[in-house]
mmCIF file of all heavy atoms in Angstrom:
data_model
loop_
_atom_site.group_PDB
_atom_site.id
_atom_site.type_symbol
_atom_site.label_atom_id
_atom_site.label_comp_id
_atom_site.label_asym_id
_atom_site.label_seq_id
_atom_site.Cartn_x
_atom_site.Cartn_y
_atom_site.Cartn_z
ATOM 1 N N HIS A 29 44.606 30.574 10.003
ATOM 2 C CA HIS A 29 43.259 31.126 10.150
ATOM 3 C C HIS A 29 42.829 31.929 8.920
ATOM 4 O O HIS A 29 41.781 32.558 8.923
ATOM 5 C CB HIS A 29 43.172 31.995 11.413
ATOM 6 C CG HIS A 29 43.178 31.184 12.666
ATOM 7 N ND1 HIS A 29 44.337 30.806 13.295
ATOM 8 C CD2 HIS A 29 42.181 30.637 13.376
ATOM 9 C CE1 HIS A 29 44.040 30.082 14.352
ATOM 10 N NE2 HIS A 29 42.740 29.956 14.425
ATOM 11 N N SER A 30 43.627 31.873 7.869
ATOM 12 C CA SER A 30 43.316 32.639 6.650
ATOM 13 C C SER A 30 42.267 31.927 5.794
ATOM 14 O O SER A 30 42.075 30.716 5.892
ATOM 15 C CB SER A 30 44.588 32.843 5.823
ATOM 16 O OG SER A 30 44.992 31.620 5.226
ATOM 17 N N GLY A 31 41.630 32.705 4.939
ATOM 18 C CA GLY A 31 40.660 32.138 4.004
ATOM 19 C C GLY A 31 41.308 31.157 3.044
ATOM 20 O O GLY A 31 40.720 30.122 2.711
ATOM 21 N N ALA A 32 42.534 31.456 2.617
ATOM 22 C CA ALA A 32 43.251 30.570 1.697
ATOM 23 C C ALA A 32 43.459 29.194 2.330
ATOM 24 O O ALA A 32 43.262 28.163 1.685
ATOM 25 C CB ALA A 32 44.596 31.185 1.305
ATOM 26 N N TRP A 33 43.864 29.169 3.610
ATOM 27 C CA TRP A 33 44.094 27.889 4.281
ATOM 28 C C TRP A 33 42.777 27.132 4.470
ATOM 29 O O TRP A 33 42.719 25.914 4.292
ATOM 30 C CB TRP A 33 44.789 28.093 5.631
ATOM 31 C CG TRP A 33 44.951 26.807 6.378
ATOM 32 C CD1 TRP A 33 44.318 26.438 7.520
ATOM 33 C CD2 TRP A 33 45.795 25.704 6.017
ATOM 34 N NE1 TRP A 33 44.714 25.177 7.891
ATOM 35 C CE2 TRP A 33 45.618 24.707 6.987
ATOM 36 C CE3 TRP A 33 46.676 25.465 4.967
ATOM 37 C CZ2 TRP A 33 46.291 23.487 6.937
ATOM 38 C CZ3 TRP A 33 47.350 24.252 4.928
ATOM 39 C CH2 TRP A 33 47.156 23.284 5.905
ATOM 40 N N LYS A 34 41.714 27.848 4.791
ATOM 41 C CA LYS A 34 40.419 27.203 4.979
ATOM 42 C C LYS A 34 39.925 26.579 3.672
ATOM 43 O O LYS A 34 39.390 25.470 3.665
ATOM 44 C CB LYS A 34 39.404 28.183 5.554
ATOM 45 C CG LYS A 34 39.706 28.524 7.004
ATOM 46 C CD LYS A 34 38.774 29.566 7.546
ATOM 47 C CE LYS A 34 39.201 29.910 8.977
ATOM 48 N NZ LYS A 34 38.442 30.967 9.566
ATOM 49 N N ARG A 35 40.135 27.275 2.551
ATOM 50 C CA ARG A 35 39.746 26.718 1.244
ATOM 51 C C ARG A 35 40.606 25.490 0.917
ATOM 52 O O ARG A 35 40.101 24.483 0.424
ATOM 53 C CB ARG A 35 39.890 27.772 0.145
ATOM 54 C CG ARG A 35 38.789 28.820 0.155
ATOM 55 C CD ARG A 35 38.854 29.754 -1.047
ATOM 56 N NE ARG A 35 40.078 30.558 -1.080
ATOM 57 C CZ ARG A 35 40.255 31.674 -0.390
ATOM 58 N NH1 ARG A 35 39.304 32.131 0.392
ATOM 59 N NH2 ARG A 35 41.395 32.351 -0.494
ATOM 60 N N GLN A 36 41.893 25.587 1.199
ATOM 61 C CA GLN A 36 42.822 24.478 0.950
ATOM 62 C C GLN A 36 42.411 23.249 1.768
ATOM 63 O O GLN A 36 42.390 22.134 1.260
ATOM 64 C CB GLN A 36 44.250 24.912 1.319
ATOM 65 C CG GLN A 36 45.309 23.930 0.970
ATOM 66 C CD GLN A 36 45.708 24.005 -0.489
ATOM 67 O OE1 GLN A 36 45.035 24.620 -1.304
ATOM 68 N NE2 GLN A 36 46.783 23.362 -0.817
ATOM 69 N N THR A 37 42.080 23.461 3.023
ATOM 70 C CA THR A 37 41.662 22.363 3.894
ATOM 71 C C THR A 37 40.350 21.751 3.406
ATOM 72 O O THR A 37 40.185 20.531 3.442
ATOM 73 C CB THR A 37 41.530 22.858 5.349
ATOM 74 O OG1 THR A 37 42.785 23.413 5.753
ATOM 75 C CG2 THR A 37 41.172 21.738 6.294
ATOM 76 N N ALA A 38 39.431 22.583 2.938
ATOM 77 C CA ALA A 38 38.155 22.081 2.413
ATOM 78 C C ALA A 38 38.385 21.209 1.176
ATOM 79 O O ALA A 38 37.763 20.149 1.026
ATOM 80 C CB ALA A 38 37.220 23.237 2.088
ATOM 81 N N MET A 39 39.293 21.634 0.287
ATOM 82 C CA MET A 39 39.622 20.827 -0.898
ATOM 83 C C MET A 39 40.257 19.508 -0.480
ATOM 84 O O MET A 39 39.962 18.449 -1.043
ATOM 85 C CB MET A 39 40.585 21.586 -1.826
ATOM 86 C CG MET A 39 39.933 22.688 -2.601
ATOM 87 S SD MET A 39 41.014 23.668 -3.690
ATOM 88 C CE MET A 39 42.522 22.789 -3.814
ATOM 89 N N LEU A 40 41.126 19.560 0.497
ATOM 90 C CA LEU A 40 41.802 18.365 0.995
ATOM 91 C C LEU A 40 40.798 17.391 1.602
ATOM 92 O O LEU A 40 40.842 16.190 1.331
ATOM 93 C CB LEU A 40 42.843 18.786 2.036
ATOM 94 C CG LEU A 40 43.748 17.718 2.598
ATOM 95 C CD1 LEU A 40 44.605 17.105 1.499
ATOM 96 C CD2 LEU A 40 44.634 18.320 3.674
ATOM 97 N N LYS A 41 39.879 17.916 2.397
ATOM 98 C CA LYS A 41 38.846 17.076 3.017
ATOM 99 C C LYS A 41 37.973 16.419 1.948
ATOM 100 O O LYS A 41 37.626 15.236 2.060
ATOM 101 C CB LYS A 41 37.991 17.927 3.966
ATOM 102 C CG LYS A 41 36.972 17.139 4.734
ATOM 103 C CD LYS A 41 36.216 18.032 5.709
ATOM 104 C CE LYS A 41 35.202 17.239 6.501
ATOM 105 N NZ LYS A 41 34.474 18.097 7.448
ATOM 106 N N ALA A 42 37.643 17.171 0.901
ATOM 107 C CA ALA A 42 36.845 16.616 -0.201
ATOM 108 C C ALA A 42 37.614 15.502 -0.906
ATOM 109 O O ALA A 42 37.046 14.459 -1.240
ATOM 110 C CB ALA A 42 36.464 17.719 -1.180
ATOM 111 N N ARG A 43 38.913 15.723 -1.150
ATOM 112 C CA ARG A 43 39.740 14.685 -1.788
ATOM 113 C C ARG A 43 39.714 13.405 -0.973
ATOM 114 O O ARG A 43 39.666 12.305 -1.516
ATOM 115 C CB ARG A 43 41.177 15.182 -1.934
ATOM 116 C CG ARG A 43 42.136 14.138 -2.510
ATOM 117 C CD ARG A 43 43.573 14.581 -2.555
ATOM 118 N NE ARG A 43 44.231 14.375 -1.263
ATOM 119 C CZ ARG A 43 45.455 14.793 -0.986
ATOM 120 N NH1 ARG A 43 46.155 15.470 -1.882
ATOM 121 N NH2 ARG A 43 45.992 14.558 0.193
ATOM 122 N N ALA A 44 39.715 13.540 0.349
ATOM 123 C CA ALA A 44 39.786 12.391 1.247
ATOM 124 C C ALA A 44 38.403 11.853 1.630
ATOM 125 O O ALA A 44 38.314 10.890 2.380
ATOM 126 C CB ALA A 44 40.542 12.790 2.508
ATOM 127 N N ASN A 45 37.348 12.470 1.129
ATOM 128 C CA ASN A 45 35.986 12.111 1.524
ATOM 129 C C ASN A 45 35.812 12.156 3.038
ATOM 130 O O ASN A 45 35.072 11.350 3.611
ATOM 131 C CB ASN A 45 35.607 10.724 0.978
ATOM 132 C CG ASN A 45 35.509 10.716 -0.514
ATOM 133 O OD1 ASN A 45 34.926 11.614 -1.113
ATOM 134 N ND2 ASN A 45 36.105 9.717 -1.140
ATOM 135 N N GLY A 46 36.552 13.047 3.699
ATOM 136 C CA GLY A 46 36.443 13.213 5.141
ATOM 137 C C GLY A 46 37.158 12.157 5.958
ATOM 138 O O GLY A 46 37.078 12.165 7.175
ATOM 139 N N LEU A 47 37.855 11.245 5.283
ATOM 140 C CA LEU A 47 38.517 10.144 5.989
ATOM 141 C C LEU A 47 40.005 10.407 6.184
ATOM 142 O O LEU A 47 40.616 11.188 5.465
ATOM 143 C CB LEU A 47 38.338 8.842 5.200
ATOM 144 C CG LEU A 47 36.897 8.382 5.005
ATOM 145 C CD1 LEU A 47 36.852 7.178 4.077
ATOM 146 C CD2 LEU A 47 36.252 8.057 6.347
ATOM 147 N N ASP A 48 40.586 9.723 7.154
ATOM 148 C CA ASP A 48 42.016 9.771 7.415
ATOM 149 C C ASP A 48 42.709 9.029 6.272
ATOM 150 O O ASP A 48 42.578 7.816 6.129
ATOM 151 C CB ASP A 48 42.294 9.092 8.761
ATOM 152 C CG ASP A 48 43.747 9.091 9.159
ATOM 153 O OD1 ASP A 48 44.610 8.823 8.299
ATOM 154 O OD2 ASP A 48 44.026 9.320 10.351
ATOM 155 N N GLU A 49 43.435 9.769 5.438
ATOM 156 C CA GLU A 49 44.060 9.171 4.253
ATOM 157 C C GLU A 49 45.161 8.175 4.598
ATOM 158 O O GLU A 49 45.369 7.199 3.871
ATOM 159 C CB GLU A 49 44.623 10.270 3.347
ATOM 160 C CG GLU A 49 43.548 11.130 2.722
ATOM 161 C CD GLU A 49 44.103 12.232 1.855
ATOM 162 O OE1 GLU A 49 44.721 13.175 2.415
ATOM 163 O OE2 GLU A 49 43.919 12.151 0.617
ATOM 164 N N TYR A 50 45.871 8.406 5.675
ATOM 165 C CA TYR A 50 46.940 7.495 6.084
ATOM 166 C C TYR A 50 46.357 6.155 6.521
ATOM 167 O O TYR A 50 46.800 5.095 6.083
ATOM 168 C CB TYR A 50 47.767 8.120 7.211
ATOM 169 C CG TYR A 50 48.934 7.278 7.648
ATOM 170 C CD1 TYR A 50 50.084 7.205 6.862
ATOM 171 C CD2 TYR A 50 48.904 6.570 8.835
ATOM 172 C CE1 TYR A 50 51.166 6.439 7.246
ATOM 173 C CE2 TYR A 50 49.982 5.803 9.232
ATOM 174 C CZ TYR A 50 51.110 5.735 8.439
ATOM 175 O OH TYR A 50 52.184 4.963 8.827
ATOM 176 N N GLU A 51 45.362 6.190 7.386
ATOM 177 C CA GLU A 51 44.728 4.959 7.878
ATOM 178 C C GLU A 51 44.022 4.212 6.743
ATOM 179 O O GLU A 51 44.015 2.986 6.714
ATOM 180 C CB GLU A 51 43.744 5.268 9.010
ATOM 181 C CG GLU A 51 44.401 5.731 10.283
ATOM 182 C CD GLU A 51 45.271 4.669 10.941
ATOM 183 O OE1 GLU A 51 44.984 3.469 10.798
ATOM 184 O OE2 GLU A 51 46.243 5.056 11.613
ATOM 185 N N LEU A 52 43.457 4.954 5.812
ATOM 186 C CA LEU A 52 42.742 4.351 4.689
ATOM 187 C C LEU A 52 43.655 3.466 3.849
ATOM 188 O O LEU A 52 43.234 2.414 3.372
ATOM 189 C CB LEU A 52 42.115 5.452 3.822
ATOM 190 C CG LEU A 52 41.120 4.994 2.756
ATOM 191 C CD1 LEU A 52 39.955 4.256 3.393
ATOM 192 C CD2 LEU A 52 40.621 6.190 1.973
ATOM 193 N N CYS A 53 44.919 3.854 3.710
ATOM 194 C CA CYS A 53 45.822 3.032 2.896
ATOM 195 C C CYS A 53 46.131 1.695 3.572
ATOM 196 O O CYS A 53 46.655 0.782 2.942
ATOM 197 C CB CYS A 53 47.087 3.795 2.504
ATOM 198 S SG CYS A 53 48.271 4.004 3.799
ATOM 199 N N PHE A 54 45.769 1.533 4.854
ATOM 200 C CA PHE A 54 45.908 0.252 5.562
ATOM 201 C C PHE A 54 44.560 -0.456 5.686
ATOM 202 O O PHE A 54 44.422 -1.437 6.406
ATOM 203 C CB PHE A 54 46.499 0.470 6.965
ATOM 204 C CG PHE A 54 47.893 1.021 6.940
ATOM 205 C CD1 PHE A 54 48.134 2.347 7.229
ATOM 206 C CD2 PHE A 54 48.975 0.213 6.597
ATOM 207 C CE1 PHE A 54 49.407 2.866 7.193
ATOM 208 C CE2 PHE A 54 50.260 0.724 6.563
ATOM 209 C CZ PHE A 54 50.478 2.055 6.855
ATOM 210 N N GLY A 55 43.552 0.094 4.998
ATOM 211 C CA GLY A 55 42.227 -0.508 5.006
ATOM 212 C C GLY A 55 41.394 -0.169 6.228
ATOM 213 O O GLY A 55 40.366 -0.791 6.473
#
C-alpha cells in the first residue's frame, strides 16, 4: 500500500500497455 509500490505498479502497467504479459507471449 506504499507510494513506492504504487509507482512501481504504474510503471509495470505502462510497460505492459495494460495487458497480461504472460498471455501476450502466447498471442
Side-chain angles (χ1 to χ4, degrees):
H29 287 88
S30 72
W33 176 249
K34 289 176 183 176
R35 285 187 296 278
Q36 187 81 347
T37 303
M39 285 178 13
L40 185 62
K41 185 177 181 180
R43 176 185 83 187
N45 293 315
L47 299 173
D48 181 317
E49 293 179 291
Y50 183 76
E51 291 295 330
L52 191 59
C53 75
F54 296 104

